[in-house]
Amino acid sequence: MDGWLEVRDRVYCRRYEPWDVSVGVVVGRDGVVVVDTRATLGEGRELAADVRALDSRPPLWVVNTHCHFDHTAGNPAFSPPAETAGHPTLDPSPGLPVADRATIDLGDREVEVRYLGRGHTGGDLVVVVGDAGVVFAGDLVEESGPPAYGDDCHPLDWPATAARLFGLIGPAHLIVPGHGAVVDRAFVVAQQRHLQQVAGAICDLWVGEVPVEEAVAAYGDRWPFPAECLSQAVARGYRELDLSAERRRDSGG
Ligand SMILES: [Zn+2]
């Protein structure tokens, strides 16, 4: 898994340890865009040197797919001169906040940055290189491990957000996940079904009044992902369902 992979014409990705983070680069006539910057400033500097091997110009843009450190901590290795594009929840706040969509014009091609909804975090962005048929999906899609449900995930929204990806990808598209190898539409469709299964199970367990601390075990081997990865999914899902039930009670509905 060493070295750059040219996914399509002048669209590259490269997998880095630790965490098997998949970083992207898009080269256009007027500049270079980097998608995610690895987990430390030192790793970011190493990445900047690797990007120079593709194109000697300093990148003008860094797009962060979401706020987690393994995708953002290398940012200072690029800016200045690079401007950072990211969701407004990014810390520190990005030069180009993308709450819905933004287009980066590279002269001979455009890179579109889109927010599709909550999922892996509250601020996941995807990066679309339309002319090449490539989408960088960040951690909304993971290949080398199961999707990561952390303490800031939105397990009940994630399936709908992942389904919105379907509108951006056809059978010929290639999708670069946040971690792991390049995948196709069929992989994303299959993973979305599993995300949907997790959300459905959480709702069923909550409706069945299974205590949150027993819920992961109660669903046993029916989970589509390893059970030990799902405690935060269940905790966060329960919390959301508790809150919406409270809101319904408060509004008398
Ligand atoms: Zn993440």
Side-chain angles (χ1 to χ4, degrees), residues 64-86:
N64 292 128
T65 57
H66 63 295
C67 62
H68 289 159
F69 75 96
D70 52 329
H71 302 261
T72 58
N75 281 8
F78 295 92
S79 54
E83 174 130 54
T84 302

Side-chain angles (χ1 to χ4, degrees), residues 8 60 75 82 87 122 168 221:
R8 291 268 164 82
L60 293 179
N75 281 8
H87 192 262
L168 302 178
D221 56 11

